[in-house]
Every structure is written in structure tokens, then in C-alpha cells.
Amino acid sequence: EVQLVESGGGLVQPGRSMKLSCAASGFTFNNYDMAWVCQAPKKGLEWVATISYDGSSTYYRDSVKGRFTISRDNAKSTLYLQMDSLRSEDTATYYCARHPGANWGQGVMVTVSS
Amino acid sequence: DIVMTQSPSSLAVSAGETVTINCKSSQSLLSSGNQKNYLAWYQQKPGQSPKLLIYLASTRESGVPDRFIGSGSGTDFTLTISSVQAEDLADYYCQQHYSYPLTFGSGTKLEIK
């Protein structure tokens, strides 16, 4: 069974950093591109970033370029999202997903507030 | 960026009725190389993560009931739910993964009368 388990969310002040992790199991992690998708409270889904199966290519939505970094450790079957210079508008539940959305984690809440 | 226009934003139906949700993309999602449409449909039940229903516009994900049918090509797509059941109460989203940035429709809230 495919499992994606996110961790690392919480409350953070504007301008600070936070790193999310997603532990994958039940499939051959290094065969698949992976993605982060977010959902602001009571809003729709927004794609954040995707990383290729080997980490050689990354893609970001414009609003997070230069602030967020997606990465992966295939030896640990883990996906990461480093979020820097956080803004209030980054407040959302962040899901990791097997690109583009075949499987999803349970999500982790990130609240950016002073 | 490809804009995904989804309609209606909400609808309420009685159990047993048929529902149609539309999704229109601002550019074609049809790959000339393999003739596949890079359009997916997701279901998100209250308090849950999204779940993939349909990929490549019309291929049902394993385990998805056959009352969920995806159709369309190019820029116009439809998700049809026949004989709606109470458990289908959810938000439904279309998504294009033809090109970056990936984009979602704004969602359709399905309520059961």
C-alpha cells in the first residue's frame, strides 16, 4: 500500500523558515516524480512544486520561486520542501503527492502569523 | 499559464440523479506525440486529502466505481457521475499536467439533497 506521511508543519512567523518532510513507502520512490500541492483554508488546490525522479529537474509556481526549494533523498525515500521568507499568504495545508496526483499524503498545516 | 475554468461551482442533487461537471482549459491538453490528454479529476471529501478519480481525461483509477466517467479532448472535458450516492458528497477538481505550472480548476462542491 502506498503511504505518504508529511511532517514538519506548525506556526511560524513571517519572514522565517520551515522545512517539510514526506516519508514515502509502498512503491519504488526513486522511479517517480514527486510534488507538493497546497490548499489555503477553505480554498482550492494549488500546485507548488515538482521534482523529477532523480532530482535533476525542479519546477515551481511563480509565487514561491526563489523562496521554496523542493528536494529528495532517494536513499531515505523522503521528499522535502524548504520554505524560506514565509508570508502570511503561504498559510495552507501542504500535501505531498506522487506527481501529478496519483497518491496523496494526509497533509500538514503551515500557519504563517506573528 | 494554462487556465482551467471549471463549472458549476456548486450543485445539489438527489441520490440517483446524474451529475455533469465541466472543465475547460485555455490551451489544448492533447499531446500531438501520443494523442493523450493530460487532464485529471480528483475527489476531495470533507476533511480528507484529494483522491485521484480519472487520469488522461478518461481512464478510471483502480478501485474507482464505474459510475464516474471522464470524457473530452483538447480543451473541453467532463466528469459525469451517474446515479449519485450520498458518499459522493465532496469537492471535485480538474487538473492539467500538460505543462508547467500545473493548474487546477476552482472546484465544484457537490451536495446531496
Side-chain angles (χ1 to χ4, degrees), chain A residues 39 50 95 99-101 104-106, chain B residues 42 44 49-50 95 100-102:
Chain A
Q39 186 170 36
T50 290
Y95 298 98
H99 176 87
W104 297 66
Q106 84 286 357
Chain B
Y42 299 91
Q44 186 177 30
S49 305
Q95 179 210 41
Y100 291 103
L102 307 190

Side-chain angles (χ1 to χ4, degrees), chain A residues 81-94:
Chain A
L81 185 67
Q82 175 68 44
M83 303 185 293
D84 299 323
S85 303
L86 281 161
R87 307 167 180 167
S88 58
E89 55 263 37
D90 297 321
T91 293
T93 296
Y94 285 76

Side-chain angles (χ1 to χ4, degrees), chain A residues 66-86:
Chain A
R67 299 190 301 122
F68 290 12
T69 303
I70 188 172
S71 63
R72 64 191 297 159
D73 184 335
N74 284 346
K76 295 182 178 179
S77 296
T78 302
L79 176 72
Y80 302 100
L81 185 67
Q82 175 68 44
M83 303 185 293
D84 299 323
S85 303
L86 281 161

Side-chain angles (χ1 to χ4, degrees), chain A residues 22-104:
Chain A
C22 172
S25 61
F27 66 103
T28 305
F29 183 71
N30 57 14
N31 282 357
Y32 292 92
D33 296 355
M34 297 293 294
W36 288 97
V37 177
C38 72
Q39 186 170 36
K42 299 195 182 304
K43 299 293 186 183
L45 301 170
E46 282 193 340
W47 169 79
V48 175
T50 290
I51 185 167
S52 62
Y53 67 98
D54 60 357
S56 63
S57 298
T58 56
Y59 309 87
Y60 300 91
R61 65 180 296 111
D62 283 349
S63 62
V64 307
K65 277 181 188 173
R67 299 190 301 122
F68 290 12
T69 303
I70 188 172
S71 63
R72 64 191 297 159
D73 184 335
N74 284 346
K76 295 182 178 179
S77 296
T78 302
L79 176 72
Y80 302 100
L81 185 67
Q82 175 68 44
M83 303 185 293
D84 299 323
S85 303
L86 281 161
R87 307 167 180 167
S88 58
E89 55 263 37
D90 297 321
T91 293
T93 296
Y94 285 76
Y95 298 98
C96 77
R98 208 176 78 179
H99 176 87
N103 304 96
W104 297 66

